[in-house]
Amino acid sequence: MVVVAPDVSSQSETLLPPRIPRHVAIIMDGNGRWAKARGLPRTEGHRQGTENLRQIIRACVEFGIEILTIYAFSTENWQRPPLEVRLLMNILEMVLDRELRELHDNGVQIRHIGKLDQVAPHLQRKIREACAYTRDNRRLILNVAFNYGGRDEIVHAVQEIVRSGIPADQIDEALLNQYMYTGGLPDPDLIIRTSGELRISNFLLWQAAYAEYYFTPVYWPDFDREQLLQALHEYSRRTRRFGQIDEQLTDEIGE
Ligand code: IPE
Ligand code: IPE
Ligand code: MG
């Protein structure tokens, strides 16, 4: 009698992998191309992208991810046509207005990383209020990188260190870490970029030193729960050595 083994490979991808990253960061890219491919305005891609974000946040909570950092607007995105810039600002405002209560009820703590001073005062206020309102939530930390640039973050950290009068010989990696916008949080374990671009576009330059990268051609509005699960499986198969050799590693290292 021939016994046919069940197809465990496809089944197992629908289950959670054994190692879940604590901190996942996402470069949510490809909204414009998603829209263009459908003969729609770029605006529609951004709108669809925010819809998608909801399910990804929900999936992160479900999968037990502790921190999700999303790249929503870079310091370079100001160079886009003024109308698109305005739209991206409006989108954040709309998301905060519409989603704040649900995010709060789901235990999401919102944090902002980046520079707020170039952002319109009423939006700055909304962002600050959302962070304050959700401050005590513990299920998922959602870092929103908005007007964020990795180089800007490093410059800002150095300025703050100099301003506080810390002597040069007391400056080390741990101190710089504290002065980053993500100060106090662990580095990202996994950085996902959608849309097929193979670059980091000024995202988390300092924190990404030992992150695992996952690049997918899927445009952000199509990157769903299953896609995230695939990325987690890929992450789980990687060996993180942190400069060591395989023989030195235990299961605990880096987790
Ligand atoms: C990502 O999608 C959203 C932001 C950068 C704000 P894009 O708008 O970059 O979409 P593409 O890359 O042009 O397709
Ligand atoms: C990176 O995407 C920034 C965000 C996703 C917010 P971009 O579309 O701006 O990056 P480049 O210009 O292709 O590098
Ligand atoms: Mg892009």
Side-chain angles (χ1 to χ4, degrees), residues 3-14:
V3 179
V4 180
D7 180 4
V8 283
S9 63
S10 58
Q11 265 181 16
S12 63
E13 297 275 300
T14 64

Side-chain angles (χ1 to χ4, degrees), residues 161 170-180 187 206 209:
I161 290 170
Q170 281 176 33
I171 298 174
D172 58 13
E173 291 186 13
L175 184 93
L176 261 157
N177 233 338
Q178 280 173 34
Y179 277 83
M180 293 294 149
D187 286 342
W206 171 269

